Amino acid sequence: ESATAFGCLVSDMWLGEFDYVSPEAFHSVFGKRYPAFSRRTQHDAQEFLICVLDDLHEAFKEVRAQLCQERQSPTAGTSTRSSSGTSIITHLFEGQLSYGIRCLRCKALSDKPESFTVLSLPIPSTRVCSLQDCLECFFQPDTLTRNNQIHCHWCGSNQDATVKASITKAPQIIIFHLKRFAWQDKHRRKLSTTVCYPFSDLDLSPYISTSCHNNTEYSLCAVVNHAGDLDYGHYTAFCKHSVTKHWYSFDDTQVTKIPDSAVQADTAYLLFY
C-alpha cells in the first residue's frame, strides 16, 4: 500500500546511501489509489499534499485500530477504524479553526468549528507583501449579506451577519498554501507576487483564540516552490536539515546545500512551519 511505499521512501532518504532518491515506487502505488495523479501531466502540489496526508492518516489510523483490537481480542483477524479518528498525521498537522458568526439583527453569536491541515491564504497584493499580510487578509472579519445570509435560529429567518475566524487549536506543524492561482477579470492566472516570509519567530498569537494554549511561535522548516504558469511548470523544494540546520535545495536529481538567503524565493507556493 502507499503508506508502506512512503515508509520505504523516507527510509531510503535517511539512510544516506544515495546522492538522490527517486519516488517512482511511491508514485506508482499512490497513483493506483488516486488515478488522477498517475498521469504525467501538470498537477497541483497542494492538492497532492492533501491527498497524501489523508491517505497516510487513513492507513495509520487503521493500523492503530487493529493493534487496539488485537490487545482486546487475540483472535481478532480483521481491522476496524479507530472511533477517535486520530493518527500521527492528525497529531502533527491537524489544527482547528472556529468561525464566530454574529447575527447583525439580534447580535446572537454562534461558533462553527472546522479542522484543517493546510491553510490557504489569499495574496492581497500583485507586487510585494508579507506572510503577515496574507494572514491578516485571511483572518479579517467579513460581512455575510444577500445570497450569503445566515439562517438565524433566534430570529427564525435569514439575516445579515459578520463572521471572523480564529485558531482554536494550533498544529505542531502548520502548512500555508499561498493562493497564487487566482481569478482576475474573469481569467485565471498565476500571481507572481513576492511574499516575504520569516525564517523564525512567526507569531500566530493575534489569530489564536484565548482558549488555545498551544505554542504560537513557529520556525520555517520547508518550502515548496512552483516556477512557471498555469499550463506548465516545475516544482522544487527547500528543506532544513533537522540536525545540522543547513538548508538544501531538491530539484529532481540535484540535491545541493544552499545559503539561508536563497530560501527567500519569489516562487514559494507552500510554506511549512
Side-chain angles (χ1 to χ4, degrees), residues 121-123 125-126 177-193 230 269:
L121 304 180
I123 300 177
S125 172
T126 57
H177 161 231
L178 302 178
K179 297 173 70 174
R180 292 197 176 277
F181 302 102
W183 290 94
Q184 286 191 343
D185 301 325
K186 297 182 179 180
H187 297 285
R188 193 165 182 261
R189 69 184 191 89
K190 182 183 176 182
L191 300 177
S192 56
T193 304
L230 284 171
Y269 186 52

Side-chain angles (χ1 to χ4, degrees), residues 41-43 181 190 226-235:
T41 54
Q42 180 85 353
H43 293 292
F181 302 102
K190 182 183 176 182
H226 179 270
D229 58 23
L230 284 171
D231 300 319
Y232 70 92
H234 181 61
Y235 284 110

Side-chain angles (χ1 to χ4, degrees), residues 1-3 20 55 58-59 73 79 81 95 102 106 112 126 187 189-190 198-199 202 217 232 246 248:
E1 60 178 27
S2 53
Y20 64 90
D55 192 63
E58 289 300 322
S73 174
S79 64
R81 292 186 177 182
R102 185 178 296 277
C106 70
K112 179 184 176 184
T126 57
H187 297 285
R189 69 184 191 89
K190 182 183 176 182
F199 287 17
L202 173 65
E217 288 195 357
Y232 70 92
H246 294 145
Y248 291 84

Side-chain angles (χ1 to χ4, degrees), residues 91-166:
H91 178 68
L92 292 176
F93 297 101
E94 186 176 271
Q96 189 90 19
L97 288 174
S98 178
Y99 290 92
I101 304 171
R102 185 178 296 277
C103 173
L104 290 179
R105 182 187 177 191
C106 70
K107 308 304 179 184
L109 179 65
S110 60
D111 291 313
K112 179 184 176 184
E114 182 179 291
S115 298
F116 71 89
T117 51
V118 178
L119 275 186
S120 292
L121 304 180
I123 300 177
S125 172
T126 57
R127 300 189 67 182
V128 180
C129 69
S130 68
L131 180 59
Q132 289 287 5
D133 293 332
C134 299
L135 287 165
E136 287 286 344
C137 188
F138 179 89
F139 286 101
Q140 70 179 357
D142 196 11
T143 303
L144 306 177
T145 61
R146 298 181 181 180
N147 293 334
N148 294 320
Q149 285 183 324
I150 65 161
H151 182 80
C152 178
H153 171 74
W154 300 102
C155 295
S157 59
N158 290 346
Q159 298 292 335
D160 291 350
T162 58
V163 58
K164 188 179 188 304
S166 62

